[in-house]
Amino acid sequence: MEVFVRNLPEQLSEKQLRDFFHPIFTALSIDSFCLQKLRKGCATVTILDTQLGQKFLDVHGQRGGIRRGTQAVHQLHHTGRAIYISASRNRPDTYLLRSLHDERQKLQQTKETKAGKGPTIRQELKFPCTSLACGLWDYAGLDLGFVPYYTDSRKGTVTFRTKSLAVSLNPTSVKIPQVQIEIPYSSVQSITVGNGSNLSLTLTLLEAPRMYEDSADALEEAFGNLSLRTPPKIFKNSRITSLSKAHEGVVSSCFVYQLSLPGTSISQVRALKNTQEIPPCIFWPTALMVPERSFASEITELTSKLCLQYEELPFSLKFQMQKLAQNGYLPPSRVVELLPEILRMVNRLGVATTLHATRKLFNQIPFAGPETEAKELGLKGLSELLTKNEVSSQIEMLYLPDHTERYEHMALVYKVTVTPTGTFLYGPDPEPKNRVLRKYSEHPDSFLRVAFVDEDGEPIRFDNGASNADIYHVRFKAVLGGVINIAGRGYEFLGFSHSSLRSQTCWFMAPFAQKNELFHARAVIAKLGDFSAIRSPAKCAARIGQAFSDTSKTVKLRPDTVQTMKDVERSGRVFSDGVGTLSPSILQKLWKEYATSRTLKPTLFQIRYAGAKGMVSLDTRLQGDTLLLRPSMIKFTGSDATDIEICGAGIRPIPFVLNRQLIKILEDLGVDEKVFLGLQADAVEQLRSTTLSPVNAASFLQRNLIGKAAQLSWLIRKLHGLGLPFQADSFLSKTLEMAVLVQLRELKHRSRIPVKMGVTLYGIMDETGYLKEGEIFCVSDSEEDGRSIITGRGIVITRSPALHPGDIQLVTGVTVPPDSPLNALHNCVVFSQKGKRDLPSQLSGGDLDGDLYHIIYDPGLQPRSIEEPADYPRVQQADLLTKVERHHMADFFIQFMQNDRLGWIATLHQTLADQMDNGTLSSSCILLADKHSTAVDFSKTGISVNLSNCPHYSKCRPDFMATGPHVVVEKGAIYLEEPQPGEDDIAALGGGRRPYRYYESHKVLGKLYRAIDEVAVFRELQEQSSSLVKDNPSNQSIMQRIWSYVQRESNLIPWEHHRDWARDIQETYEDCLIDTMYQYSTHPTRYLSELEVFIGNIIGKVGAQSKRQREYSTSMKEKFEHDVTFTINCIVKDPITGKESVEALERSIACLAVAMEEKMPRKKVGVLRSFDYIAAAVCLKEIEKFQGPRWS
């Protein structure tokens, strides 16, 4: 039943409304309801039980209809005004009723609190607050004290919620709005309860809190909406960047907040200690230390000294010193005290060693507070750390050269993260080069990669309840239009690539001189090409952005090598959009640079060349050195670049996996749900069998390229040969469990179901003209499986993302004549150049400049019907009447950040596709597919999506979109904890975001989701490992038994003289590991687990990985594999010749011996264990070589 509520106070929040109705509903035994606040003082209440809903109307509803004059039996009032209740004219939302029904069942199943845990927060705990202060922990001698650099004397309330702490500061006058602060518990490092004369709560945070202020006269997000077709939205609250001007100077570096409470609250405060949701509470007398000067003056002094007194220090070191203070590791005054010691180190040891030793500090400095002794953060303690780091740094630098020296395609990139409250420094870290970094390779520190994110490192989320206008158009715009000052060097906005725009990152640069010429941002852009004729900021930024695309290799060509040829056009369509060709001799040049280690080498590449971009494929008919480009590939002129830059290549066929969008469309086109359920069941069964045998485990690791450099699959097979079950080793079993969990979560939470009869390949055009309309030539080739040409009728072809039912088409796969040039190609799908319309454009608006296409030849996945492909009209670009300047592109960057709704549209499409009877074929989903296409092109056209005519939708989501169990990695163990109801979102105090409600989906995606009980499957895997261990009892660990075996087989080999050297190798490896754990964490202040780095996958904590986690996982895995390879080479290869060392066996034994020593915890990450298994694999291989061939 739905009930309509009128005459509510306008300023009432949805949460306040729930609090108002809660006791009323409790009195009537109404426990399943959903309240939604509407505009103009109205709201709706959906009540699951119709009888109870009628009872509510009988008691509090208006008699005689909805006219205000009638009186309820028990009239409700709020702040003195009458609240009018009546039956709604609308039918209740079916999906909301299903959601309420499911919630009731789940709550009944989880009523009892888990044994051994403290009480949960059943109701909010509130305390009055007399003041708030922001500052740092510091020490006076040995005594700890809180130093308040900012104090706000406004009174307010502290509220402990289920997942966050909220602070509300009351206005002191009519002109000053109420301020609300949200602190998620996930951002709280510790809570200190001061039990001195003044009761206080001191929170040590990992990041700045989110702050909001009431917007009584709220306007639309004026700046961002000026160019939009969507009507402006009115917001009740505004997100702010600081509490006041004074707070602005400390909010980004001072993460300790003290809340003063009245003494009467002490008994309630003490009760917090045993409440399970709240972070650990420490009871400690908290002394106040009055600062001698302001925080801003301390920062100014540090900056001044770096620019003047210590001007001779290289920028790389100054960057690290400013980072120590600016990122909140140390007070600025302490960094100033440290500068003389840094200078002495430089004079004594040189810049490289000093820099290496200084960077180690970031992983060693503890959080100040009750659990840290004063000496650890004093000048003497920090100097001792540096001295210790000197020795290890000198050793590490012998064995671990810089990444940029090892890999020519890498550059050390300095990074800055801009959040609503501050600017933070990171790096430099090795990243792939782009054209700009190559062109000015002598000045890498003159460029910054700048990311604009929220305090937790994630993108700023759109919030229905709070305006982000100040964040975008005041805070971020000031950064983009201004200068980022680092140690006296000023960086200005330069540009961004298409991919970095979507990830909300861009490039800044500082002026530098090269060959007697001064380069600033405008000059660098002018050298890239001629963009003067472009009038669209979005298009201009995209063209300039080609120079910022990451490219792995370059090959220099003579200018006369490059020629142009005509595009293939028909009926206004470009069949050759983005694709060209190259001759065999040019291909040979590319192979020398790109694929030297592989027997099977690529025959097509994704490239950048001067102002051109796209794919080029081998054409054996071309003579000499020839590269043929088409007009559709050439995006701008005036570039003097003569290198082919390689972005990607068709090295191997990519295994095809289904996703939710494709599954839904295929279901709507008639594919039987049993096919999907069967494919998923096969995938789950394969995962289940992984831990049953060493062969299965090793094959799984090898197939998924897990631990490749560490020789993990070989090690498991070797242990099996020695009669040692890998399941008996906790690290190896947890490694496998974690790797399986990643795959299991991809299946359940993203429906990434592998299809053996499918492949994903780059698309190119048939240059020979042999293929007819509707035909493809599809060839995959790998060293493992050999060459395969996919032929036959009814082959499914599509690409991702697919939202329109016409994005899936059927084609005929054919072979070509033996003498056809197409036979020289592999790992590509070749499209016909014939017909009325090119096929790629029919598949989600694809082209041939690097798009990947899915080819499915599984008969079970062939649709019963096919829909006409979408044909969206081309959106007119947003052009200016003048030349595009840098500030226009910066403005577009902000506009895009604020108005990019691509993800929101895709999510809504998925929701409606589940709720509509005809799914993706419904008019609502067709409309959203159109809008999704516009949103995809927003980055190129500058035209955002018109959301004013979006279809109406239920606020409930299907259950397959819900979050999953929390993954907890603790001391090497992995746990899955079921989320509590309503944990999807922290309801922002200022934003008022609602937790999502879910209903049980009856479509195939819901059935697939519920078919996997990930907790049960994971528990089963762990039990399998445990049972196998019980079957192989031993008093010795697996590592001890390996060591015993090695000692037996090498008892006459002297290795002890290598022990100290081996310790250095271990420390070098572990320092690299810690750096990776820090560098690739998606949160700026939290480390990844060792297991995540070792398997090369960042775990999605409450479901599948986010897009950002997937991107980070790819680059993290590459870095870690390189580090492991280098570590192994240090052990087995001669450092001078690079060939196998004659002492490889002795060194490997020494490394294994060191691995067997008792381990000391490393700061912030604890005990590390992965080196043991790298050493074990290397040592066992060397023992095998030493033993020679065994004859049976």
Side-chain angles (χ1 to χ4, degrees):
M1 168 179 275
E2 185 173 278
V3 174
F4 192 66
V5 185
R6 292 182 292 114
N7 205 39
L8 293 166
E10 284 275 0
Q11 67 273 21
L12 206 62
S13 71
E14 194 167 279
K15 190 208 164 299
Q16 290 169 327
L17 197 56
R18 282 197 299 269
D19 292 344
F20 171 73
F21 275 107
H22 188 271
I24 299 167
F25 288 151
T26 301
L28 295 171
S29 300
I30 298 173
D31 58 0
S32 295
F33 65 92
C34 175
L35 192 149
Q36 298 183 60
K37 189 172 182 294
L38 308 176
R39 293 184 181 182
K40 299 180 180 179
C42 297
T44 61
V45 184
T46 303
I47 300 171
L48 179 61
D49 297 288
T50 304
Q51 290 182 345
L52 291 177
Q54 189 59 53
K55 186 178 179 181
F56 171 66
L57 281 175
D58 292 343
V59 177
H60 300 292
Q62 294 169 263
R63 291 172 294 170
I66 62 171
R67 293 182 296 106
R68 288 194 179 187
T70 58
Q71 182 69 37
V73 172
H74 190 284
Q75 182 68 52
L76 295 178
H77 291 84
H78 189 288
T79 59
R81 70 193 296 172
I83 306 301
Y84 302 111
I85 311 291
S86 61
S88 173
R89 295 175 180 174
N90 301 321
R91 296 182 63 183
D93 184 338
T94 302
Y95 297 98
L96 180 52
L97 291 176
R98 279 165 59 177
S99 173
L100 290 170
H101 180 267
D102 293 346
E103 284 177 15
R104 172 183 280 180
Q105 287 188 324
K106 288 176 183 176
L107 283 171
Q108 287 173 347
Q109 293 169 3
T110 57
K111 271 185 176 180
E112 294 183 6
T113 308
K114 291 181 181 179
K117 292 192 176 183
T120 59
I121 299 179
R122 298 185 183 280
Q123 294 183 350
E124 294 175 345
L125 302 176
K126 291 188 177 182
F127 306 99
C129 171
T130 56
S131 67
L132 173 146
C134 173
L136 298 171
W137 290 111
D138 207 349
Y139 301 86
L142 299 177
D143 297 326
L144 174 70
F146 171 68
V147 184
Y149 285 104
Y150 166 78
T151 301
D152 196 315
S153 57
R154 284 179 283 183
K155 292 181 173 58
T157 306
V158 183
T159 306
F160 286 89
R161 304 181 189 276
T162 305
K163 297 208 58 163
S164 65
L165 172 75
V167 181
S168 179
L169 299 180
N170 300 326
T172 55
S173 70
V174 178
K175 294 184 178 180
I176 298 177
Q178 184 175 25
V179 171
Q180 300 153 17
I181 304 168
E182 178 195 337
I183 303 174
Y185 293 144
S186 59
S187 71
V188 179
Q189 196 269 333
S190 66
I191 299 176
T192 303
V193 181
N195 55 0
S197 56
N198 293 320
L199 182 62
S200 63
L201 293 174
T202 307
L203 290 85
T204 305
L205 307 182
L206 301 171
E207 63 196 37
R210 292 169 177 81
M211 295 161 285
Y212 303 84
E213 68 178 16
D214 286 350
S215 302
D217 301 319
L219 299 175
E220 73 273 10
E221 295 204 22
F223 305 99
N225 286 317
L226 287 177
S227 61
L228 299 182
R229 294 171 288 166
T230 305
K233 180 173 177 59
I234 307 300
F235 292 93
K236 181 179 179 293
N237 299 299
S238 294
R239 179 97 180 262
I240 56 177
T241 58
S242 62
L243 300 176
S244 67
K245 190 70 178 174
H247 187 228
E248 187 180 318
V250 303
V251 66
S252 65
S253 301
C254 297
F255 295 154
V256 183
Y257 282 77
Q258 188 170 92
L259 306 166
S260 298
L261 310 177
T264 54
S265 305
I266 190 165
S267 59
Q268 291 176 287
V269 171
R270 287 189 177 279
L272 295 175
K273 185 175 183 180
N274 299 316
T275 306
Q276 74 177 53
E277 291 94 343
I278 294 175
C281 292
I282 305 166
F283 289 81
W284 192 273
T286 308
L288 279 179
M289 295 171 56
V290 180
E292 297 178 1
R293 50 190 175 151
S294 69
F295 188 82
S297 65
E298 291 189 20
I299 285 284
T300 301
E301 181 192 13
L302 172 61
T303 306
S304 175
K305 286 187 177 292
L306 289 174
C307 297
L308 301 174
Q309 188 175 339
Y310 293 89
E311 184 184 7
E312 69 270 29
L313 283 178
F315 176 79
S316 56
L317 264 172
K318 291 195 227 180
F319 183 91
Q320 301 303 325
M321 302 314 290
Q322 185 165 327
K323 179 164 69 165
L324 281 170
Q326 196 157 317
N327 290 21
Y329 286 91
L330 292 172
S333 55
R334 188 78 74 253
V335 180
V336 169
E337 293 173 357
L338 203 57
L339 285 173
E341 178 63 25
I342 296 295
L343 185 59
R344 284 192 290 271
M345 281 185 67
V346 171
N347 293 333
R348 188 173 70 255
L349 302 166
V351 173
T353 304
T354 306
L355 181 60
H356 202 278
T358 303
R359 292 198 68 176
K360 282 174 169 283
L361 286 178
F362 294 96
N363 295 322
Q364 298 169 328
I365 296 172
F367 285 100
E371 296 179 324
T372 302
E373 294 184 27
K375 63 181 182 181
E376 294 182 71
L377 290 169
L379 180 60
K380 183 180 179 183
L382 294 170
S383 298
E384 288 173 354
L385 270 180
L386 281 170
T387 301
K388 179 186 174 184
N389 291 347
E390 282 181 22
V391 180
S392 60
S393 295
Q394 288 174 312
I395 294 168
E396 287 172 24
M397 290 172 67
L398 289 175
Y399 304 121
L400 200 65
D402 191 276
H403 272 75
T404 56
E405 295 177 13
R406 282 190 280 167
Y407 313 110
E408 63 178 23
H409 71 286
M410 304 291 277
L412 283 177
V413 175
Y414 289 79
K415 301 175 183 177
V416 164
T417 294
V418 179
T419 74
T421 62
T423 302
F424 305 96
L425 313 183
Y426 296 97
D429 298 315
E431 291 197 3
K433 288 181 180 178
N434 55 47
R435 186 179 302 177
V436 174
L437 294 181
R438 283 192 181 90
K439 190 178 181 73
Y440 305 106
S441 57
E442 296 176 12
H443 306 276
D445 56 10
S446 292
F447 297 91
L448 289 179
R449 188 192 287 273
V450 182
F452 292 81
V453 296
D454 212 333
E455 306 300 340
D456 59 0
E458 293 295 325
I460 302 284
R461 290 202 302 175
F462 174 76
D463 192 334
N464 266 316
S467 166
N468 288 319
D470 279 356
I471 306 298
Y472 291 117
H473 299 288
V474 179
R475 167 75 181 133
F476 287 175
K477 186 168 185 175
V479 174
L480 283 162
V483 176
I484 297 177
N485 287 301
I486 303 175
R489 187 178 288 186
Y491 292 82
E492 293 181 305
F493 172 75
L494 178 61
F496 48 85
S497 68
H498 181 259
S499 60
S500 72
L501 174 63
R502 293 219 171 269
S503 63
Q504 300 186 0
T505 61
C506 60
W507 289 91
F508 276 51
M509 70 161 288
F512 60 88
Q514 182 170 293
K515 296 180 180 179
N516 299 319
E517 186 177 356
L518 178 65
F519 286 89
H520 44 71
R522 193 173 285 104
V524 166
I525 290 174
K527 292 280 185 181
L528 294 177
D530 181 10
F531 310 101
S532 59
I534 302 175
R535 291 292 179 264
S536 165
K539 184 177 180 180
C540 187
R543 297 299 173 248
I544 293 172
Q546 288 178 214
F548 296 106
S549 297
D550 294 344
T551 49
S552 56
K553 296 287 183 179
T554 62
V555 177
K556 190 172 289 295
L557 298 180
R558 299 190 319 273
D560 61 352
T561 300
V562 183
Q563 303 171 31
T564 59
M565 61 177 170
K566 291 182 179 180
D567 272 304
V568 178
E569 299 183 67
R570 190 178 303 107
S571 306
R573 306 282 184 180
V574 181
F575 285 67
S576 56
D577 190 4
V579 65
T581 58
L582 48 76
S583 63
S585 62
I586 293 289
L587 186 65
Q588 291 286 341
K589 296 180 190 295
L590 297 185
W591 282 350
K592 287 180 182 178
E593 294 296 326
Y594 193 79
T596 52
S597 63
R598 296 183 61 85
T599 305
L600 184 67
K601 301 184 188 301
T603 55
L604 63 156
F605 293 85
Q606 186 180 20
I607 67 159
R608 302 287 185 268
Y609 177 81
K613 65 188 284 280
M615 295 293 298
V616 289
S617 62
L618 171 65
D619 188 339
T620 54
R621 298 170 299 182
L622 297 177
Q623 302 297 313
D625 286 354
T626 306
L627 174 66
L628 293 180
L629 304 178
R630 287 189 164 97
S632 61
M633 302 175 69
I634 301 169
K635 306 302 181 181
F636 63 88
T637 60
S639 172
D640 60 359
T642 57
D643 292 349
I644 288 185
E645 299 167 314
I646 301 173
C647 303
I651 296 177
R652 63 177 67 87
I654 303 169
F656 170 66
V657 290
L658 289 164
N659 57 49
R660 284 180 172 171
Q661 293 169 333
L662 290 175
I663 290 171
K664 189 70 195 79
I665 295 175
L666 287 170
E667 179 191 28
D668 295 335
L669 295 178
V671 175
D672 194 326
E673 65 179 33
K674 293 178 182 177
V675 176
F676 303 112
L677 289 165
L679 288 169
Q680 179 176 274
D682 291 344
V684 173
E685 190 55 39
Q686 191 171 32
L687 291 177
R688 274 198 172 101
S689 67
T690 298
T691 58
L692 289 176
S693 74
V695 173
N696 290 353
S699 298
F700 171 81
L701 295 171
Q702 190 170 353
R703 187 169 60 250
N704 291 283
L705 303 176
I706 295 169
K708 183 179 178 182
Q711 307 170 105
L712 192 57
S713 63
W714 181 90
L715 176 62
I716 287 175
R717 286 192 174 98
K718 181 65 178 178
L719 293 179
H720 176 59
L722 296 174
L724 302 177
F726 78 91
Q727 298 95 335
D729 183 273
S730 61
F731 184 84
L732 290 176
S733 60
K734 297 308 174 193
T735 297
L736 193 64
E737 286 170 12
M738 181 80 92
V740 169
L741 180 60
V742 171
Q743 298 289 325
L744 188 65
R745 303 200 113 193
E746 287 289 288
L747 278 172
K748 182 175 178 70
H749 297 284
R750 293 182 67 209
S751 300
R752 300 271 295 173
I753 304 173
V755 178
K756 291 179 181 178
M757 299 179 72
V759 68
T760 299
L761 300 167
Y762 282 113
I764 58 173
M765 189 191 72
D766 172 21
E767 300 288 344
T768 67
Y770 175 80
L771 298 177
K772 300 174 184 176
E773 182 179 9
E775 291 183 341
I776 61 167
F777 175 67
C778 183
V779 56
S780 67
D781 203 348
S782 67
E783 293 174 351
E784 299 82 10
D785 301 322
R787 185 177 176 89
S788 172
I789 299 175
I790 300 168
T791 60
R793 295 181 178 276
I795 294 171
V796 177
I797 189 161
T798 183
R799 62 181 289 269
S800 295
L803 277 76
H804 191 282
D807 290 338
I808 291 177
Q809 294 294 313
L810 295 179
V811 292
T812 301
V814 301
T815 58
V816 294
D819 60 347
S820 172
L822 299 183
N823 282 314
L825 301 172
H826 52 251
N827 293 330
C828 62
V829 53
V830 184
F831 293 99
S832 171
Q833 58 170 274
K834 298 175 181 178
K836 294 181 180 179
R837 181 180 174 186
D838 59 303
L839 182 56
S841 71
Q842 301 176 47
L843 310 175
S844 303
D847 55 33
L848 301 176
D849 71 351
D851 286 356
L852 291 167
Y853 294 86
H854 308 307
I855 300 93
I856 311 166
Y857 49 100
D858 186 329
L861 291 173
Q862 187 179 104
R864 294 180 183 175
S865 62
I866 288 294
E867 294 293 313
E868 282 294 314
D871 190 6
Y872 305 122
R874 183 165 294 180
V875 178
Q876 190 63 38
Q877 295 175 347
D879 287 355
L880 302 174
L881 298 176
T882 183
K883 179 183 176 183
V884 176
E885 301 289 350
R886 278 189 312 125
H887 69 88
H888 294 129
M889 291 184 286
D891 288 345
F892 171 68
F893 189 84
I894 293 171
Q895 184 189 347
F896 186 86
M897 279 195 291
Q898 185 176 9
N899 299 304
D900 178 23
R901 296 287 183 269
L902 187 64
W904 182 86
I905 294 168
T907 299
L908 179 56
H909 180 276
Q910 194 169 87
T911 303
L912 284 178
D914 185 78
Q915 294 173 359
M916 297 291 177
D917 290 339
N918 52 349
T920 55
L921 301 172
S922 67
S923 58
S924 294
C925 286
I926 297 294
L927 175 61
L928 287 173
D930 184 355
K931 292 186 180 299
H932 189 270
S933 175
T934 303
V936 167
D937 292 338
F938 180 22
S939 59
K940 302 172 186 176
T941 63
I943 302 297
S944 61
V945 186
N946 179 10
L947 300 179
S948 62
N949 62 340
C950 276
H952 294 290
Y953 57 95
S954 169
K955 299 298 190 293
C956 298
R957 291 181 171 184
D959 55 353
F960 59 79
M961 298 175 75
T963 56
H966 295 281
V967 178
V968 181
V969 182
E970 201 171 80
K971 296 181 180 178
I974 311 166
Y975 307 94
L976 294 183
E977 294 182 349
E978 287 288 0
Q980 296 301 312
E983 278 194 4
D984 301 73
D985 262 324
I986 295 172
L989 185 63
R993 293 191 299 270
R994 297 180 187 131
Y996 293 114
R997 290 182 180 275
Y998 300 96
Y999 62 87
E1000 186 175 291
S1001 167
H1002 298 157
K1003 303 285 180 70
V1004 68
L1005 288 174
K1007 294 176 181 179
L1008 288 167
Y1009 176 78
R1010 292 187 298 277
I1012 298 177
D1013 183 342
E1014 65 184 300
V1015 175
V1017 174
F1018 191 65
R1019 191 180 295 125
E1020 181 185 326
L1021 290 171
Q1022 292 181 315
E1023 288 171 355
Q1024 285 174 1
S1025 296
S1026 300
S1027 64
L1028 288 166
V1029 172
K1030 290 176 184 175
D1031 294 339
N1032 294 271
S1034 174
N1035 295 325
Q1036 283 189 314
S1037 70
I1038 290 295
M1039 286 301 299
Q1040 287 170 332
R1041 293 163 75 180
I1042 292 173
W1043 178 236
S1044 298
Y1045 169 79
V1046 169
Q1047 285 179 306
R1048 286 197 308 271
E1049 296 295 320
S1050 60
N1051 59 349
L1052 297 178
I1053 296 174
W1055 56 266
E1056 280 284 354
H1057 58 292
H1058 289 298
R1059 188 184 283 270
D1060 289 341
W1061 170 89
R1063 288 197 185 101
D1064 294 338
I1065 291 293
Q1066 181 185 35
E1067 186 168 356
T1068 299
Y1069 165 80
E1070 290 185 348
D1071 281 343
C1072 288
L1073 174 62
I1074 293 170
D1075 181 62
T1076 304
M1077 293 164 70
Y1078 171 73
Q1079 178 185 340
Y1080 289 97
S1081 172
T1082 51
H1083 190 283
T1085 54
R1086 295 195 191 96
Y1087 289 71
L1088 295 173
S1089 68
E1090 181 181 20
L1091 283 173
E1092 287 174 288
V1093 176
F1094 196 67
I1095 69 168
N1097 261 299
I1098 300 168
I1099 296 295
K1101 300 302 180 188
V1102 289
Q1105 295 172 315
S1106 66
K1107 181 182 177 184
R1108 187 157 164 257
Q1109 287 173 327
R1110 291 195 295 274
E1111 291 171 349
Y1112 273 36
S1113 293
T1114 301
S1115 51
M1116 175 190 75
K1117 188 170 188 172
E1118 182 182 356
K1119 178 183 182 297
F1120 180 67
E1121 290 285 297
H1122 285 321
D1123 289 342
V1124 172
T1125 300
F1126 187 82
T1127 301
I1128 292 173
N1129 288 342
C1130 285
I1131 300 171
V1132 301
K1133 290 190 176 181
D1134 187 289
I1136 299 173
T1137 64
K1139 296 180 179 179
E1140 188 81 12
S1141 172
V1142 294
E1143 294 190 307
L1145 175 58
E1146 293 90 331
R1147 287 177 176 179
S1148 67
I1149 296 171
C1151 286
L1152 185 58
V1154 167
M1156 298 303 299
E1157 295 174 354
E1158 184 179 354
K1159 292 177 170 39
M1160 298 299 293
R1162 302 290 292 259
K1163 280 192 176 179
K1164 299 188 179 182
V1165 296
V1167 173
L1168 300 174
R1169 297 189 58 199
S1170 55
F1171 179 78
D1172 304 9
Y1173 302 90
I1174 294 170
V1178 173
C1179 188
L1180 289 172
K1181 271 207 167 182
E1182 292 303 316
I1183 290 286
E1184 199 174 78
K1185 292 177 186 175
F1186 175 69
Q1187 292 168 335
R1190 298 274 177 113
W1191 302 98
S1192 56

